[in-house]
C-alpha cells in the first residue's frame, strides 16, 4: 500500500484519542516495508526535526560504523521550547509511528535498547506514551526493548548531551565535547539521539520509500513538517505542513494574524523576522540563504499592538534563568545581556551606553559555552535589535510605543519574578 | 615533549565546564589568553603557527598550569597537508 502523496502524513488518522497499535496498522498498512531501509533513508534526504536540521542518514552512518554492543536509540520528546507543542501532539495522535521509527533506527545501527524521553511535567503525554509502549511490548515481543524515561522539564534538558547524561544516571546538564558531531555514550553504549518527529518520518520512509517521501517538501528539505503556531492566533495551533509552503500560508491555515508585526522562527533560540519574510518558503534550504532556519518548527506571530522589545526581554530573562550555570560565560553573560536589554528598553542616556555594552557582551559570550544555549540567546537578541530597530530608537529617545505600556504579553514564558518584568507606570 | 614541530598550527581551547574562572592562565600566557569581565578566559580562535616558539611555550605553561586541567592545545594541520 502506498498512501496518497498529500497531507496529512504524520497526522494520518488523527482522532480524539491516540491511535492504538491495531488502528496504527490499519492506517499505515499492516506490513508495508521497503527492501532496504538504509538506502531509502539515505535517498530520502531527511533532516532532523529537533532544531539543528542535520541529515539523519549521516548520524545513522556514524553510529552504524561504531563497534560494540548495547547501542541505544534515544527518542527526544522533551520539547524544551515553551512555544512548542508538536511532539506532544504527534505522540498524542500517532505514538506508534514514533516508536516504529525508533525500532527502524535501532535495526539500522544495531541497537538493542530504545529510550523514549518525555518530560514528567506533562502527565497526559507520559500516560499516552506509557500505554503505547506497553501495547507494543504485549503485541510484538520481538525487537529491541523500549523504556520510557521522564526527566524533569527544563529548557536544556532536551539538549542531546544533557539527555544522555540523564539516561546515564547523572543530572541533565550538557556535556563539553571537543569535536562535533561526536558520539554520545550511555555507559559504554553509543547512543543515537533523534527527535520524535524525526523518528516518525523514519517510520514512513521505511514503509513507503524515499521517492514517496520526497514528493512533498523541497529538494534540500524534503517531506512534511509539524509547526507549532502561537502568538496572534485565536488558539495555539499545531499543523502538519508541506515544507516549502510560505509562512503566510501557515499563518492563514492556523487562523493567525496574516499581517503580524514580526514572526519568531524556530523558538527562543531562533530568530525574529520582519513581515518581508512572510512570502519566503518555509524550508531550511530557502531560509538558509538569509541565515535562517525553521529550527524546531516554532512560529510565533507577534501582534501589531505588542512591543517586540519588551517581549524579547522576557524571553532573554527567562533563558538566562535556564542556563545550566556550568560555564562562566553563560552563567554570568546571559543575565548581564538581559540586564543590558532592560536598560536599552528603559531608554535615556543609560540606554545608549547599554546598547553598546549589549553588543560587546554578545560578541564576547558567543561560542564560549559548552552547549549552544548562549549562542541561541545571542542570535535571538541580535535579531530583536535588527527587526525592532525603529522601536529601539523610540525607546532610546525615551518615547516607547503604547505596546510597551500595555500589560498584555504574548510570548509564553513559564515563570518570571514580578520585579523582572518591565512595566511602565 | 621538547620537540618543536615547525609545521602546522595550534589553538588553545578551554573546557568551560571545568574552568573555575580564577584566571591563572591569563598570567601564564598573557599574550594569548585574556580574561573577560567575570574573569573567564577569552582565547583568540585564530590558529597560531607551531613555529612561534614563544607562543607555544606560553600555551604549554598555561595548559600545564591550569589547576582544573580545563585547557588543551589542539594541533591544526596546515591547510592542504594531512
Ligand atoms: C539548548 C538546547 C535545547 C534543546 N532542546 C531540545 C528538545 O527539547 N527536543 C529536541 O528534540 N531537541 C532539542 N535540542 C536539539 C538536540 O540537541 C538534538 O540536536 C536533537 O534531539 C537531535 O535530533 P534530530 O537530529 O532528530 O533533530 C536542543 C538543543 C539545544 C542546544
Ligand atoms: S553553555 Fe550554559 S547551558 Fe550550556 S552547558 Fe554551559 S552553562 Fe549549561
Ligand atoms: S587557569 Fe584554568 S580554571 Fe583557571 S581560569 Fe584559566 S582555564 Fe579556567
Amino acid at each position: 500500500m502506498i498512501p496518497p502523496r498529500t497531507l496529512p502524513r504524520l497526522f494520518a488518522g488523527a482522532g480524539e484519542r491516540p491511535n492504538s497499535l491495531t488502528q496504527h496498522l490499519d492506517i499505515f498498512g499492516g506490513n508495508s516495508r521497503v527492501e532496504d531501509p538504509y538506502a531509502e533513508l539515505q535517498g530520502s534526504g531527511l533532516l532532523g526535526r529537533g532544531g539543528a536540521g542535520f541529515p539523519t542518514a549521516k548520524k545513522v552512518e556514524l553510529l552504524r560504523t561504531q563497534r560494540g554492543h548495547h547501542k541505544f536509540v534515544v527518542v527526544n520528546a522533551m520539547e524544551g521550547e515553551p512555544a512548542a507543542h508538536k511532539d506532544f501532539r504527534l505522540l498524542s495522535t500517532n505514538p506508534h509511528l514514533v516508536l516504529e521509527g525508533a525500532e527502524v533506527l535501532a535495526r539500522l545501527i544495531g541497537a538493542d535498547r530504545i529510550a523514549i524521553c518525555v518530560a514528567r511535567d506533562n502527565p497526559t503525554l507520559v500516560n499516552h506514551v506509557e500505554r503505547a509502549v506497553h501495547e507494543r511490548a504485549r503485541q510484538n515481543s520481538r525487537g529491541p526493548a523500549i523504556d520510557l524515561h521522564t526527566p524533569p522539564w527544563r529548557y536544556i534538558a532536551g539538549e542531546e548531551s544533557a539527555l544522555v547524561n540523564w539516561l546515564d544516571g547523572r543530572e541533565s546538564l550538557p556535556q563539553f565535547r571537543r569535536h562535533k558531531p561526536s558520539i554520545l555514550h550511555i555507559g559504554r553504549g553509543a547512543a543515537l539521539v533523534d527527535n520524535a518527529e524525526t523518528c516518525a518520518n523514519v517510520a514512513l520512509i521505511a514503509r513507503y520509500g524515499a521517492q514517496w517521501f520526497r514528493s512533498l517538501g523541497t529538494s534540500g528539505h524534503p517531506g512534511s513538517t509539524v509547526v507549532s503556531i502561537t502568538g496572534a492566533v485565536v488558539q495555539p495551533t499545531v499543523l502538519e505542513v508541506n515544507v516549502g509552503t510560505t509562512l503566510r500560508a501557515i499563518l492563514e491555515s492556523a487562523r493567525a494574524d496574516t499581517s503580524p508585526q514580526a514572526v519568531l522562527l524556530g523558538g527562543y533560540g531562533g530568530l525574529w523576522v520582519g513581515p518581508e519574510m512572510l512570502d519566503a518558503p518555509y524550508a531550511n534550504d530557502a531560509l538558509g540563504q538569509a541565515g535562517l532556519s525553521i529550527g524546531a518548527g516554532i512560529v510565533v506571530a507577534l501582534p501589531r499592538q505588542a512591543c517586540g522589545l519588551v517581549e524579547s526581554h522576557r524571553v532573554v530573562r527567562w533563558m538566562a534563568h535556564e542556563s545550566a550555570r556550568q560555564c562562566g560565560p553563560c552563567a554570568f553573560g546571559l543575565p548581564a545581556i538581559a540586564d543590558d536589554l532592560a536598560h536599552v528598553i528603559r531608554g535615556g542616556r543609560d540606554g545608549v551606553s547599554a546598547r553598546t555594552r549589549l553588543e560587546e557582551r554578545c560578541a564576547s559570550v558567543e561560542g564560549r559555552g559548552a552547549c549552544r544555549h548562549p549562542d541561541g540567546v545571542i542570535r535571538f537578541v541580535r535579531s530583536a535589535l535588527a527587526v525592532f530597530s525603529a522601536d529601539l530608537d523610540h525607546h532610546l529617545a525615551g518615547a516607547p510605543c503604547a505596546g510597551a505600556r500595555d500589560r498584555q504579553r504574548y510570548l509564553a514564558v513559564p515563570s518570571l519574578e514580578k520585579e523582572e518584568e518591565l512595566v511602565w507606570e | 615533549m621538547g620537540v618543536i614541530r615547525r609545521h602546522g598550527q595550534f589553538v588553545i581551547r578551554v573546557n568551560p565546564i571545568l574552568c573555575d574562572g580564577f584566571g591563572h592562565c591569563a598570567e601564564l600566557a598573557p599574550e594569548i589568553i585574556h580574561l573577560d569581565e567575570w574573569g573567564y578566559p577569552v582565547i583568540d580562535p585564530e590558529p597560531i603557527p607551531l613555529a612561534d616558539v614563544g607562543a607555544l611555550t606560553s600555551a604549554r605553561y598555561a595548559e600545564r598550569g591550569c589547576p582544573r586541567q580545563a585547557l588543551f592545545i589542539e594541533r591544526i594541520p596546515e591547510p592542504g597537508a594531512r
Side-chain angles (χ1 to χ4, degrees):
Chain A
M1 170 181 119
I2 296 276
R5 285 166 188 257
T6 53
L7 293 173
R9 282 181 170 183
L10 299 164
F11 283 98
E16 289 280 294
R17 304 271 317 142
N19 287 316
S20 67
L21 185 51
T22 323
Q23 287 171 314
H24 167 77
L25 295 176
D26 277 348
I27 297 163
F28 294 99
N31 46 10
S32 49
R33 287 281 181 280
V34 295
E35 221 157 85
D36 182 352
Y38 185 49
E40 298 293 338
L41 182 62
Q42 284 177 314
S44 73
L46 173 64
L47 303 182
R49 305 297 203 233
F54 192 79
T56 306
K58 283 212 177 123
K59 287 172 55 168
V60 169
E61 186 188 335
L62 207 62
L63 268 288
R64 257 167 96 87
T65 50
Q66 282 288 298
R67 285 161 199 271
H69 326 283
H70 306 311
K71 293 184 201 169
F72 289 81
V73 168
V74 178
V75 183
N76 190 350
M78 290 302 294
E79 206 140 69
E81 285 279 355
H85 311 280
K86 72 174 179 91
D87 295 334
F88 172 55
R89 281 291 305 281
L90 183 58
L91 283 164
S92 308
T93 305
N94 282 320
H96 286 287
L97 197 62
V98 176
L99 295 175
E100 186 180 291
E103 287 170 357
V104 172
L105 289 169
R107 275 196 297 279
L108 293 184
I109 67 165
D112 56 1
R113 292 208 91 89
I114 293 170
I116 175 157
C117 305
V118 176
R120 65 179 62 163
D121 310 61
N122 187 342
T124 316
L125 180 56
V126 172
N127 212 330
H128 291 335
V129 175
E130 198 163 29
R131 218 178 256 230
V133 169
H134 281 162
E135 230 179 332
R136 266 188 124 66
R138 248 185 290 119
Q139 297 193 18
N140 105 35
S141 48
R142 297 169 294 122
I146 306 179
D147 303 306
L148 169 62
H149 295 265
T150 55
W153 182 87
R154 63 190 288 187
Y155 187 81
I156 51 147
E159 196 276 336
E160 54 189 3
S161 66
L163 198 55
V164 162
N165 255 349
W166 172 271
L167 294 171
D168 213 1
R170 292 182 294 271
E171 258 193 278
S172 50
L173 300 173
Q175 305 171 18
F176 174 71
R177 290 181 278 168
R178 283 196 185 201
H179 305 286
K180 283 184 192 173
S182 66
I183 291 166
L184 292 160
H185 290 268
I186 300 170
R188 294 173 63 189
L192 173 69
V193 183
D194 273 311
N195 173 258
E197 185 190 337
T198 311
C199 294
N201 279 303
V202 169
L204 292 177
I205 292 164
R207 280 173 172 276
Y208 316 126
Q211 206 189 353
W212 170 83
F213 182 73
R214 298 189 77 104
S215 66
L216 286 184
T218 64
S219 60
H221 192 167
S224 64
T225 195
V226 188
V227 189
S228 315
I229 304 119
T230 56
V233 280
V234 182
Q235 196 183 336
T237 305
V238 174
L239 286 179
E240 180 182 6
V241 304
N242 187 355
V243 176
T245 184
T246 63
L247 255 178
R248 194 185 299 280
I250 293 175
L251 293 177
E252 231 160 52
S253 333
R255 291 192 296 141
D257 185 350
T258 49
S259 48
Q261 186 185 152
V263 174
L264 177 60
L265 270 189
Y268 293 174
L271 292 143
W272 286 110
V273 296
E276 73 283 355
M277 291 302 287
L278 283 179
D279 293 307
Y282 186 75
N284 282 353
D285 44 359
L287 292 171
Q289 291 166 9
L292 301 163
S293 85
I294 70 164
I298 290 155
V299 169
V300 186
L302 188 70
R304 273 155 296 177
Q305 68 272 24
C307 173
L309 292 168
V310 169
E311 297 286 344
S312 299
H313 168 260
R314 299 175 71 234
V315 169
V316 173
R317 183 66 73 188
W318 180 74
M319 290 286 272
H321 279 306
E322 287 295 311
S323 159
R325 296 192 173 78
Q326 299 192 98
C327 314
C330 178
F332 294 100
L334 297 188
I337 285 171
D339 286 345
D340 288 341
L341 189 56
H343 278 118
V344 171
I345 292 170
R346 288 217 177 83
R349 218 160 15 110
D350 248 20
V352 178
S353 57
R355 183 186 180 165
T356 318
R357 201 167 56 233
L358 175 59
E359 277 161 13
E360 284 165 6
R361 279 181 170 156
C362 285
S364 149
V365 170
E366 191 175 23
R368 286 175 58 221
C371 76
R372 307 219 0 111
H373 182 64
D375 295 2
V377 176
I378 288 164
R379 266 163 55 105
F380 176 85
V381 169
R382 286 190 179 139
S383 74
L385 296 180
V387 170
F388 307 116
S389 67
D391 296 328
L392 190 67
D393 295 337
H394 292 302
H395 277 263
L396 288 175
C401 55
R405 294 169 196 280
D406 183 4
R407 281 169 197 244
Q408 174 86 34
R409 297 290 176 258
Y410 300 91
L411 262 54
V413 169
S415 62
L416 222 48
E417 302 287 333
K418 202 153 179 265
E419 53 273 20
E420 291 170 338
E421 297 271 6
L422 281 172
V423 271
W424 273 263
E425 294 308 329
Chain B
M1 280 299 159
V3 181
I4 295 159
R5 295 194 187 82
R6 292 190 185 280
H7 301 291
Q9 297 173 301
F10 75 96
V11 284
I12 185 153
R13 290 181 58 200
V14 60
N15 175 339
I17 295 179
L18 290 178
C19 171
D20 61 16
F22 282 106
H24 200 40
C25 49
E27 285 168 26
L28 294 170
E31 64 277 48
I32 29 184
I33 302 178
H34 303 279
L35 299 180
D36 68 11
E37 56 187 302
W38 305 286
Y40 291 89
V42 181
I43 306 164
D44 192 353
E46 201 56 42
I48 303 170
L50 284 164
D52 185 342
V53 181
L56 184 59
T57 311
S58 297
R60 283 189 176 149
Y61 265 139
E63 184 186 40
R64 270 180 254 157
C66 169
R68 302 275 298 153
Q69 301 191 350
L71 292 172
F72 57 96
I73 291 172
E74 199 170 87
R75 285 203 54 190
I76 298 171
E78 206 96 62
R82 268 212 65 103

